[in-house]
Every structure is written in structure tokens, then in C-alpha cells.
Amino acid sequence: MSPSVNTPAGGLSPLLILLLAMSAGLSVASLYYSQPMLGVLGADIGASSRSIGLVPTLTQLGYALGILLLAPLGDRHDRRNIILVKSGVLLLALLAAGLAPSIHLLLLASLVVGLAATLAQDIVPAAATLASAEQRGRVVGTVMTGLLLGILLSRVVSGLVAELLGWRSMFVIAALSILAVGYTAWRHMQPSRPSTNLSYVALLASLLGLWRAHPSLRRAALAQGLLAVSFSAFWSTLAVMLHDAPFHLGSAAAGAFGLAGAAGALAAPLAGHLADRRGPGLVTRLGAGLTALAFAGLAAAWWWAPTTAQLTLLAVGTVLFDLGVQATLIAHQTLVYQIDPGARSRLNAVLFVGMFSGMASGAVLGSLLLAAWGWGAVMGMATLSAAAALWVRLRAA
């Protein structure tokens, strides 16, 4: 690695941190490009609303499976090589999604996109390993800002691109961005040394041992998973809700709400800094509480606010719940990385399996509730799930 991106004292230069943050963001963005495009995508390939709802569900499920089955390999093998392989697979899967002639091939490509996009979860432990203990929360927070901005701004970009160039063009552009991620890893990331020589089967089996041995890990995975249910239920149904009455808005409008959520992502380094100074437990309680309040406000606004005010209230609620979810995630990562420095990839895998299992569940529940009882029911479920996450964190206090 060139001296410009590697500093002997701290292991990470500002430039390398920026490159890692951008790579994490572009990688994880692949999971979310489809969401604002679901309305136009379904109409274009003749898929029902229930079938098209499986696109984000399978993507999130693939991500959860990839974290469980692939992310632990970061403790056993060179993370740079893992990132390079996953980048190649993700590039091909995105191209397949963009060329898919039917819903069946699109669903298969979506599952593979989720599996390969887990390369983002190889980048974050690498940053945590290279950072000093005193700065770990801040460094993880900065890299996670890139990841979170990728999640949120992906919706803005895909909504606009789908409106201007069509949904297939968005997948092709996404594939090109992953080519840049692979080049960055090849050019700037140092090879990493394994922290364990366990076989693959033993490596996976050790996940259960970590789960049983550390109550703080179990609480973190459960609480973040419950918050993810709320988060995913909102984002996976927003485009469909805005496309229908009374708003009748297109994919660009749905994607634009990602700008509101991005405001919350910018606070991620502050959450990491607060976790370094006051402890991650406090930040998890504050974040979960803010998320529950934001969704309660969105539920109340849907039922009682006039239609003319609902879009404004929706944007405000989006800022608040995104801030809460992301602050809690940063604190949870800071917490679990302290458990065992030699098992950071596996600890991260357990945390994110919980989170993305919640994401997949939220996408399914949100689609079913929206079809059966409307947006108010989706927001009611999101409020209850976030409140349950707060309860888990308060019990740990």
C-alpha cells in the first residue's frame, strides 16, 4: 500500500478511511437500488405487487445468509482477497438483474446480489482492526457513515435514474460502481493476516459458541434486529404507498426521501464519538427510544394529520428514525467489537445476521400489512418493533 493511505501510528490515514467508507457505501447500496423502482419495475415486467415485493425480501435474505455463511471467513482468510472475489460475483449479479426478462430471473439475481453484497461486512471489521482502541468508535462510525449513506442515497439515485433512463440502466450503473470497489481493494488495501486457523465448519460452529458465551452480543443482535424490522418495513413499502392514492408520486419522489434519511446518517460519527466517551450502552438506549418515538409520530400523522401536511411530517419522521437506527447500530458495533478482538468478523456476522433477518422480516410484514390494512398498519407495527428494541436495551442497563 502506498504511504499516502497508510499511517504507521494509527494504521488508517484519513484517505484510506474515506476509501473504505465509499467502498462500504457502494457495496451495500446494491441491496436498496430496487426499492424506489418497484412500482415501475413491476409494471414493466408484468409482475404482481406481491411478487415484486419478493425482490427486496430475497435481497435482504441473501444478505443475512451471506453474513452467516461468508462474513466469518474474514477471520480465517485475507479480507482483501475475499472482497475481490465478492466484487466480481456482485458485478455479475447486478448485470443479470438489469438484463432479467422475467420476475423469476430477477428474483434469483436479487438473492445473489444479497449474498455478494456482504463484502461491505468485510470492510467494517478491517477498519475496526486497524484503528486504535481509543479511536475505534469514531473510525467505525466514519466508515459506517459511508455504509449508511450508501443505504439511503441509493434510493435517491435509483429513483432518479429509473425516472430518466429506466430501471435496467440503474443496475448497469451499479455494476460499474462495484468495479470501482474492486479496484480500490486491489490498489489500496493491505493483505490481512488470519486471526484463527479454524476449519470452515469449526468457524461457523464458533458463531454459536460466541452467541452462547456473550449475553451482550445476544442483546445487541436482538435489539438491532427489532429496529431493522421497523426500518425495512418503512423503506420497502414507501414507494408503493407514494405511488398509490392520495399522492400518486413516481420513483424519483420515493427516492428523494433518502435525502431526509441521509441527514441522520451524517450523525453516525457523533454517535461513535459519544460511545467512546460515555459508553455504547447509553447510545443504544437513546437511539432505540428516538426510533420508537419517530415511528409513533408517523403512525399518528397518517391517521390524524391532513393530507397536505403528511409529506412534510413523513420527511421529518424519516430524519429522526434514521438517526435513531444508525446511532444504535454504531453503538452496537462498538460494543461487540470489544468482546474478542480475534473474532471481530464473526461477532460482526452475528450482529448483522440479527439485523438483516429483521430487514427481511420487515420487508415481508410491511408488504403484507400494506396490502391488507394500509400504511397506518405498517407504521403501527414499526412502532411496536422499535419499542421492543428499547425494552431490550433498558433491561441491559
Side-chain angles (χ1 to χ4, degrees), residues 19 162 199-200 277 362:
L19 290 172
S199 68
Y200 178 67
R277 294 189 59 189

Side-chain angles (χ1 to χ4, degrees), residues 12 17 124-125 127-129 131 135-148 268-269 272 276 329-334 337 344 348:
L12 287 173
I17 294 172
V124 179
T129 298
Q135 296 180 329
R136 184 163 296 123
R138 186 158 60 252
V139 169
V140 170
T142 302
V143 175
M144 284 298 296
T145 296
L147 188 148
L148 297 169
D276 286 336
L329 176 58
I330 298 302
H332 276 146
Q333 285 187 290
T334 303
Y337 287 154
R344 285 199 176 111
N348 193 66

Side-chain angles (χ1 to χ4, degrees), residues 7-105:
T7 54
L12 287 173
S13 71
L15 176 58
L16 180 54
I17 294 172
L18 176 63
L19 290 172
L20 291 173
M22 292 176 63
S23 296
L26 289 171
S27 302
V28 80
S30 303
L31 302 173
Y32 302 98
Y33 289 128
S34 66
Q35 290 184 2
M37 306 189 298
L38 292 178
V40 295
L41 193 157
D44 187 54
I45 61 176
S48 67
S49 58
R50 179 165 294 185
S51 296
I52 208 66
L54 291 174
V55 172
T57 300
L58 285 175
T59 305
Q60 300 293 347
L61 179 61
Y63 200 73
L65 288 173
I67 291 172
L68 177 64
L69 300 176
L70 302 178
L73 292 171
D75 289 335
R76 180 66 179 83
H77 299 284
D78 181 0
R79 287 193 182 99
R80 186 178 69 168
N81 289 339
I82 292 173
I83 290 170
L84 289 173
V85 172
K86 287 183 180 179
S87 295
V89 174
L90 180 55
L91 187 152
L92 294 175
L94 288 167
L95 289 176
L99 297 173
S102 68
I103 183 62
H104 302 94
L105 291 178

Side-chain angles (χ1 to χ4, degrees), residues 234 238 241-242 257 298 309-318 375:
F234 177 93
L238 178 67
M241 184 274 288
L242 291 176
F257 275 90
L298 288 173
Q310 284 179 8
L311 289 178
T312 300
L313 295 173
L314 195 63
V316 173
T318 302
W375 180 255

Side-chain angles (χ1 to χ4, degrees), residues 117-190:
T118 52
L119 67 92
Q121 298 308 322
D122 297 298
I123 294 171
V124 179
T129 298
L130 291 172
S132 65
E134 295 78 13
Q135 296 180 329
R136 184 163 296 123
R138 186 158 60 252
V139 169
V140 170
T142 302
V143 175
M144 284 298 296
T145 296
L147 188 148
L148 297 169
L149 286 174
I151 292 174
L152 297 165
L153 295 180
S154 61
R155 299 181 176 95
V156 182
V157 172
S158 65
L160 290 173
V161 171
E163 197 93 354
L164 296 173
L165 303 175
W167 64 271
R168 295 183 186 276
S169 298
M170 184 62 250
F171 284 115
V172 175
I173 293 171
L176 293 176
S177 75
I178 298 304
L179 183 62
V181 170
Y183 174 79
T184 297
W186 173 75
R187 179 68 180 84
H188 295 297
M189 284 190 70
Q190 284 183 326

Side-chain angles (χ1 to χ4, degrees), residues 121-375:
Q121 298 308 322
D122 297 298
I123 294 171
V124 179
T129 298
L130 291 172
S132 65
E134 295 78 13
Q135 296 180 329
R136 184 163 296 123
R138 186 158 60 252
V139 169
V140 170
T142 302
V143 175
M144 284 298 296
T145 296
L147 188 148
L148 297 169
L149 286 174
I151 292 174
L152 297 165
L153 295 180
S154 61
R155 299 181 176 95
V156 182
V157 172
S158 65
L160 290 173
V161 171
E163 197 93 354
L164 296 173
L165 303 175
W167 64 271
R168 295 183 186 276
S169 298
M170 184 62 250
F171 284 115
V172 175
I173 293 171
L176 293 176
S177 75
I178 298 304
L179 183 62
V181 170
Y183 174 79
T184 297
W186 173 75
R187 179 68 180 84
H188 295 297
M189 284 190 70
Q190 284 183 326
S192 64
R193 293 182 178 180
S195 59
T196 179
N197 59 1
L198 292 174
S199 68
Y200 178 67
V201 173
L203 196 67
L204 293 184
S206 70
L207 296 176
L208 182 58
L210 291 169
W211 174 267
R212 289 174 172 172
H214 303 291
S216 60
L217 176 62
R218 296 196 296 271
R219 288 190 293 266
L222 176 59
Q224 199 65 48
L226 288 167
L227 290 177
V229 170
S230 304
F231 184 91
S232 181
F234 177 93
W235 286 113
S236 62
T237 58
L238 178 67
V240 178
M241 184 274 288
L242 291 176
H243 189 266
D244 294 338
F247 302 113
H248 300 292
L249 297 174
S251 59
F257 275 90
L259 291 174
L266 294 175
L270 298 178
H273 183 65
L274 183 60
D276 286 336
R277 294 189 59 189
R278 301 290 300 275
L282 173 64
V283 179
T284 62
R285 295 189 290 275
L286 292 174
L290 179 60
T291 304
L293 287 174
F295 277 117
L298 288 173
W302 180 256
W303 290 111
W304 292 297
T307 302
T308 53
Q310 284 179 8
L311 289 178
T312 300
L313 295 173
L314 195 63
V316 173
T318 302
V319 172
L320 294 178
F321 83 71
D322 268 309
L323 173 58
V325 170
Q326 292 153 17
T328 309
L329 176 58
I330 298 302
H332 276 146
Q333 285 187 290
T334 303
L335 188 154
V336 302
Y337 287 154
Q338 295 172 353
I339 294 174
D340 183 353
R344 285 199 176 111
S345 286
R346 283 167 286 165
L347 292 166
N348 193 66
V350 173
L351 175 63
F352 275 84
V353 165
M355 176 178 166
F356 280 92
S357 296
M359 287 280 198
S361 300
V364 172
L365 291 172
S367 297
L368 292 175
L369 289 172
L370 184 67
W373 293 294
W375 180 255

